[in-house]
Amino acid sequence: MEESFSKSKCLLYLPLGSCKSSFNLEKTVCNHGFFMMAPNKWISSTKSLQRPLRLADQCSSVIVTISHLPESANIQIYVHDMEGVSLKSEQAILKQVARMLRISDKDEKAVNEFQGLYPQAKQDEFGRIFRSPSLFEDVVKSILLCKCTWGKTLNMVKSLCELQLQLSSGPRSNRKKQCKTKRKRGQNNATSKKNHGIGNFPNSKELVKFGETILRERCKVGYRAQFIIKLAQSVEKGTLVLEKLEMECNLWSYKVVHRKLSELKGFGPFVVATILMCMGCYEKVPVDSETKRHLNQAHGISSCNSLDVEEFYKTYAPFQCIAFWFELLQSYEKDHGKLSELDESDYPKITGSQFLQNEENAPKS
DNA sequence: GCTGGGTGGACACATGTCCA
DNA sequence: TGGACATGTGTCCACCCAGC
């Protein structure tokens, strides 16, 4: 059967629907550390987001630039280096963009309810926390946040994307074996063409292929390699269906999903809370050194544990996590200026603890 | 270049609490 | 009273970096 192609050759539109009134691309993207992680690239001069996204075959990627004109009812997605996009791939791209930017009726409902509880967030157009085009990417990035500095996390993620680019643009014969799906005219493997210097974030299939040793040696992910590979293997075998968990999280209590995730090796309370946030369950605040620092610095709460954090944000239930991120973002922007206007080279510096060190070193008045 | 302390979340185990 | 669950604490691990 002939695959049909989009009439629009390289420009796609994602309707905002019910999200139109509350949506602001800059505020939606530049509000969580994930936007600083490769392969995301925020271009402050044009207020647009550039990154590779998967085509329908899940194997090849294309670079897209996502932008939004104020008052427009659609998000504009420019697909680079492509003469045409099949309808299936178009749907795949739109689905990924909608996930990243939380464009859905459910997300809009959450934003409105949260802003009702936290009016200042409405003023600041805050409510959508940026995430990845796939839950798998969110999960791996959450693992990479652990036991290291922010700068190191950024490096590990970047190395993974570089490795993905290297391997995906390897010998043609290998790529043919990887991609059984037939591609027709115009559906070039974008990674074989102009790649804008960055690969996509590897999917589970690619990570299984890389293996633990390569992740350790090339990407310097250390002990995290075993957890990531195990996760990727479970996804590939079908013993772990992340999308099903996400759906369960939406349908029933997050506690069931919380328990299931906690059973996985390498998934501690911080990682699980971060994943739940990405899934759209905001009741658990990820508690790490940064959370404790923030509560100490902003509210004078010293030596707090996860229960103290839970107690502190219970006013905003079931959106405790969004409330926490709103406060944290405000403190970052107070110290470093607007995150959306930062230079990429400043990204590794964005932690409150850095600020704390500066404060401690500053002469006391 | 080597060494050892610091970092920070996960993990394993110990202890505490609750409820049938 | 005992099992299930929650909480606290010490240890582990890989890396960074200052000091020698």
Side-chain angles (χ1 to χ4, degrees):
Chain A
M1 198 181 140
E2 273 290 306
E3 234 182 322
S4 49
F5 280 77
S6 167
K7 280 177 189 171
S8 165
K9 282 187 174 177
C10 53
L11 204 53
L12 308 178
Y13 294 96
L14 175 67
L16 282 166
S18 62
C19 308
K20 185 181 176 282
S21 58
S22 68
F23 187 79
N24 177 323
L25 182 67
E26 184 181 4
K27 299 268 181 183
T28 301
V29 174
C30 306
N31 63 24
H32 188 277
F34 278 7
F35 96 87
M36 300 179 197
M37 288 187 188
N40 297 312
K41 189 178 172 66
W42 174 254
I43 306 162
S44 56
S45 57
T46 54
K47 292 192 192 306
S48 54
L49 176 73
Q50 197 176 85
R51 68 159 287 155
L53 290 177
R54 300 272 167 184
L55 294 178
D57 62 11
Q58 288 299 308
C59 181
S60 43
S61 305
V62 283
I63 305 280
V64 302
T65 299
I66 303 161
S67 56
H68 177 236
L69 294 168
E71 307 303 319
S72 168
N74 297 295
I75 288 170
Q76 199 172 293
I77 303 151
Y78 174 70
V79 184
H80 295 244
D81 309 320
M82 295 282 282
E83 287 156 19
V85 183
S86 75
L87 283 181
K88 276 184 185 170
S89 288
E90 179 181 336
Q91 281 164 7
I93 290 169
L94 295 181
K95 193 179 163 194
Q96 290 169 87
V97 174
R99 185 176 196 280
M100 288 164 82
L101 305 177
R102 300 196 192 244
I103 307 295
S104 71
D105 291 342
K106 187 208 159 210
D107 288 307
E108 178 61 14
K109 191 167 168 265
V111 170
N112 288 330
E113 283 178 19
F114 168 68
Q115 291 181 345
L117 291 169
Y118 209 141
Q120 206 194 325
K122 190 177 173 68
Q123 268 179 13
D124 284 21
E125 300 177 90
F126 181 90
R128 295 186 156 79
I129 300 179
F130 184 69
R131 58 182 172 179
S132 304
S134 73
L135 180 57
F136 181 77
E137 184 175 325
D138 281 330
V139 173
V140 177
K141 283 180 171 174
S142 302
I143 294 173
L144 295 176
L145 283 169
C146 294
K147 299 189 206 183
C148 61
T149 58
W150 173 237
K152 187 166 159 36
T153 299
L154 292 177
N155 282 336
M156 289 189 286
V157 174
K158 195 175 166 201
S159 303
L160 278 171
C161 296
E162 283 167 357
L163 187 65
Q164 195 277 343
L165 173 67
Q166 239 173 47
L167 297 186
S168 65
S169 51
R172 275 196 164 270
S173 55
N174 289 345
R175 287 208 311 280
K176 272 184 185 170
K177 276 178 204 168
Q178 280 171 26
C179 271
K180 284 178 185 170
T181 315
K182 272 188 186 175
R183 280 193 302 277
K184 310 229 170 188
R185 98 192 130 81
Q187 266 212 296
N188 305 314
N189 185 340
T191 50
S192 68
K193 296 179 89 180
K194 207 175 165 186
N195 55 49
H196 298 247
I198 191 84
N200 203 345
F201 192 86
N203 60 21
S204 52
K205 193 187 282 271
E206 287 161 344
L207 282 173
V208 168
K209 200 174 283 178
F210 295 167
E212 203 179 312
T213 317
I214 288 187
L215 284 201
R216 272 181 199 274
E217 290 173 5
R218 298 273 296 277
C219 306
K220 306 287 177 202
V221 302
Y223 76 98
R224 300 166 195 86
Q226 52 171 312
F227 302 142
I228 294 170
I229 295 299
K230 201 156 176 67
L231 170 81
Q233 284 170 339
S234 305
V235 170
E236 278 308 294
K237 278 184 208 157
T239 51
L240 177 68
V241 186
L242 290 172
E243 286 67 27
K244 195 179 154 207
L245 276 183
E246 189 167 22
M247 211 180 291
E248 282 179 14
C249 200
N250 291 331
L251 292 175
W252 304 309
S253 164
Y254 77 94
K255 285 178 183 170
V256 178
V257 180
H258 185 279
R259 200 175 54 234
K260 283 183 182 175
L261 287 170
S262 300
E263 284 166 4
L264 300 170
K265 201 87 176 154
F267 288 58
F270 173 77
V271 171
V272 171
T274 307
I275 297 168
L276 284 172
M277 180 196 77
C278 294
M279 286 176 165
C281 301
Y282 305 107
E283 288 178 66
K284 284 272 173 193
V285 176
V287 179
D288 63 353
S289 55
E290 192 64 358
T291 317
K292 291 174 183 174
R293 181 217 46 90
H294 168 71
L295 279 172
N296 187 3
Q297 210 175 316
H299 304 290
I301 301 169
S302 55
S303 63
C304 60
N305 58 25
S306 54
L307 283 181
D308 298 325
V309 177
E310 214 161 277
E311 180 65 24
F312 188 81
Y313 288 103
K314 72 175 181 188
T315 329
Y316 306 108
F319 306 107
Q320 293 95 316
C321 194
I322 313 184
F324 164 70
W325 265 108
F326 180 52
E327 285 188 357
L328 195 62
L329 179 71
Q330 283 181 314
S331 77
Y332 285 161
E333 298 205 324
K334 193 178 141 209
D335 301 338
H336 303 277
K338 279 181 86 177
L339 296 192
S340 60
E341 288 167 10
L342 284 175
D343 190 79
E344 216 178 308
S345 60
D346 289 326
Y347 288 170
K349 299 175 194 162
I350 303 303
T351 63
S353 47
Q354 186 98 20
F355 175 71
L356 205 61
Q357 278 168 19
N358 295 341
E359 261 199 339
E360 280 165 1
N361 295 336
K364 291 193 172 69
S365 55

